[in-house]
Amino acid sequence: MTADNSELPGPRLTPDPDPDPDPDPDSDPATAPPRWRELLGPEHRGAALVLAAGVLVGAVNIYLASSLLPTAVAEIGGESLYAWNMTLYLVAMVIATMLVSRCLARAGGAGAYLTGFAVFLVGSLACAVSPTMPVLLLGRCLQGLGAGLLSGLGFAVIRSALPRRLWTRGNALMSAMYGVGNFAGPALGGLFAQFGSWRGAFVLMAAVAAVCGAAVPRVLPRGERGGVAAPVPVVSLVLVTAATTAVSVSGVLPDTRARAAGIAAALLLVAGFAAHERRSERRVFPGATYQEGSALKWVYLTLGLLAFGVAVESFVPLFGQRLAGLPPLAAGFLGAALSLGWSLTQIGSSSAVREHTVRRLRILGPVVLALGLLVLGLLQRAPASLWWVVSWVPVLGVAGAGIGMAYPHLSVAAMTAAKDPEEGRQAAAAIATVTTMSTVFGTAVAGVLVSLGGRSMLDSARWLLLGFAALCALGAFTARAADRPGHHPG
């Protein structure tokens, strides 16, 4: 197992002055782009797969239960509590991601991972045996806590589980799991629901957690302990939990004004959170986030805007069914095209090592995402022929490619922006917090934009896609701000 490399200097967000600023990285074996077979070779394969699996189980379970719930309600009742399934899971997930660095300090890398898989396993089994909807929701809370811990740990433990030169590859593999989960969750849930075995899906997830947990002591380092853990930032946790709850609830409200009010309240709570964190010693985000001239806040904002754009996936199947008459299964796979583009693009994007190429990818990613959503919005029509809808697929893939080309490099920039090793782990764990919260906010905002179309599904599609294109385009400016002279990591 590799030694802890957390104190090695990371890539700068602004290039150093150099008479030859674009050397050929392949000319020096030490700086040549690492190959995937190096990450997945015998030395690092176990650690890489466990890190990726931790992120994957959380991503799959975001949408897994949504596909199973109609079948579950028919058996155990609780239709009035239906909407709380997603809300409680995501709120618990956000809370857990904010406690990652403290869990690492107390239990170490392997111990924290065992805790995450154990909590997720218990939650999955509780869902599988639940006789009533309240018990199922309790299981979903436990699943969310375990999934949030595992998602944050993936980005934090990579610092000691893999050598520095494999961080970008490792981040690409883990962040690709969000895309894979967005595809696999609904598909897996739909498959089990089709055969009336909704409990079996949760048993399967428990089995996956058990297998991964058994592998943890053999493949992950134990040396992540950081002495006495910092006190829990109670006020920050309360504010973020309230914001996440407000925006999650607003996503299921029927009235557009009520949804908008819920989102506005959530934004005010987030602003209060940022103001409190800036002056408090008990923080969720590392202190570097709030320092004058630090690029870390711009990196997080760019990551958030990229994850925000994924929310359109929830409504693309609806547009396919209503505008083109696609059957539910075909429409569901249509919605997964964005995640597929995201996951596949990261395979190539993570090969980039030249500083100017990495900077361009971080800026180009949000631009490509926004352009893809813009073109998709312009392609909406009613009624739409089958071949016209088929043209949506490559456009969705291009939009997803925008996320894939920038996400792994932004993740590494966040991981290396803090000089202190403890702050570095905290900065890495916050990647999962930002991603999860952005997914929650994106889904709620998407619901508001769709409702603006009224009874016209065509207008709803245009409101959503064109509105998200404008919002995601802001990521190009935040990415540019991270590279602006005077902004530096840490």
Side-chain angles (χ1 to χ4, degrees):
M1 193 59 56
T2 57
D4 191 337
N5 296 294
S6 56
E7 298 189 36
L8 292 178
R12 293 173 58 87
L13 298 186
T14 52
D16 291 319
D18 194 326
D20 182 17
D22 187 24
D24 181 4
D26 295 320
S27 62
D28 182 0
T31 59
R35 299 180 183 274
W36 279 103
R37 66 186 181 190
E38 183 179 351
L39 176 66
L40 300 177
E43 184 179 0
H44 305 298
R45 179 171 52 226
L49 292 180
V50 167
L51 298 183
V55 176
L56 180 60
V57 295
V60 166
N61 274 272
I62 291 177
Y63 298 109
L64 175 71
S66 299
S67 302
L68 297 170
L69 222 56
T71 306
V73 166
E75 180 180 332
I76 64 176
E79 186 174 357
S80 61
L81 299 174
Y82 190 103
W84 286 97
N85 158 70
M86 182 73 79
T87 298
L88 292 177
Y89 180 84
L90 289 174
V91 169
M93 197 172 177
V94 169
I95 292 172
T97 61
M98 294 189 292
L99 298 174
V100 166
S101 60
R102 288 159 182 82
C103 187
L104 271 176
R106 293 183 184 276
Y113 255 97
L114 286 172
T115 301
F117 279 121
V119 173
F120 183 84
L121 186 153
V122 172
S124 298
L125 291 178
C127 291
V129 302
S130 55
T132 62
M133 182 59 71
V135 176
L136 178 63
L137 293 178
L138 175 61
R140 288 290 282 168
C141 284
L142 291 174
Q143 275 192 320
L145 289 172
L149 189 57
L150 292 170
S151 297
L153 284 170
F155 294 100
V157 174
I158 193 175
R159 296 171 61 92
S160 60
L162 298 174
R164 170 66 183 84
R165 66 191 308 270
L166 290 179
W167 285 2
T168 302
R169 290 290 198 195
N171 272 286
L173 181 63
M174 286 190 297
S175 55
M177 294 301 102
Y178 286 112
V180 173
N182 290 347
F183 172 83
L188 187 63
L191 179 64
F192 276 88
Q194 182 74 30
F195 292 99
S197 181
W198 64 273
R199 296 181 189 273
F202 291 115
V203 172
L204 175 62
M205 298 312 301
V208 171
V211 171
C212 293
V216 165
R218 296 194 300 270
V219 302
L220 291 184
R222 299 177 180 270
E224 279 282 336
R225 295 179 187 271
V228 179
V232 175
V234 176
V235 176
S236 294
L237 282 172
V238 169
L239 289 170
V240 170
T241 301
T244 306
T245 303
V247 76
S248 297
V249 171
S250 70
V252 298
L253 295 176
D255 182 68
T256 301
R257 292 183 180 178
R259 287 183 176 182
I263 293 173
L267 289 173
L268 288 174
L269 288 166
V270 170
F273 163 82
H276 171 76
E277 287 253 307
R278 183 182 292 274
R279 63 175 183 269
S280 175
E281 294 298 322
R282 299 184 179 184
R283 300 187 182 97
V284 171
F285 290 93
T289 309
Y290 308 101
Q291 290 177 2
E292 186 69 27
S294 171
L296 191 53
K297 57 181 173 291
W298 300 112
V299 171
Y300 283 142
L301 283 171
T302 310
L303 280 167
L305 287 166
L306 290 173
F308 184 89
V310 180
V312 301
E313 279 190 328
S314 301
F315 293 90
V316 168
L318 177 65
F319 302 152
Q321 291 182 56
R322 298 287 182 85
L323 299 179
L326 292 180
L329 182 61
F333 281 110
L334 178 69
L338 188 145
S339 286
L340 186 62
W342 171 6
S343 300
L344 291 178
T345 302
Q346 290 186 126
I347 296 175
S349 170
S350 60
S351 299
V353 294
R354 293 189 178 103
E355 178 61 31
H356 87 284
T357 302
V358 169
R359 287 190 291 111
R360 288 178 181 176
L361 287 173
R362 289 197 296 249
I363 296 172
L364 189 60
V367 174
V368 172
L369 172 61
L371 287 176
L373 297 178
L374 173 62
V375 172
L376 188 62
L378 298 176
L379 287 175
Q380 301 302 299
R381 61 173 54 181
S385 67
L386 175 61
W387 291 109
W388 190 260
V389 174
V390 168
S391 71
W392 297 359
V393 176
V395 177
L396 281 163
V398 168
I403 303 174
M405 65 175 59
Y407 202 100
H409 300 292
L410 288 164
S411 298
V412 172
M415 288 171 56
T416 56
K419 296 178 181 179
D420 178 70
E422 176 56 33
E423 280 211 338
R425 288 192 292 269
Q426 190 178 12
I431 296 169
T433 304
V434 171
T435 300
T436 306
M437 285 195 66
S438 295
T439 301
V440 177
F441 270 85
T443 302
V445 172
V448 171
L449 292 176
V450 167
S451 67
L452 293 178
R455 296 184 177 181
S456 170
M457 187 55 59
L458 178 60
D459 288 343
S460 294
R462 288 172 174 167
W463 269 106
L464 172 63
L465 295 169
L466 299 180
F468 263 58
L471 291 171
C472 292
L474 298 175
F477 297 99
T478 57
R480 182 69 177 172
D483 288 318
R484 191 177 301 157
H487 285 176
H488 54 83

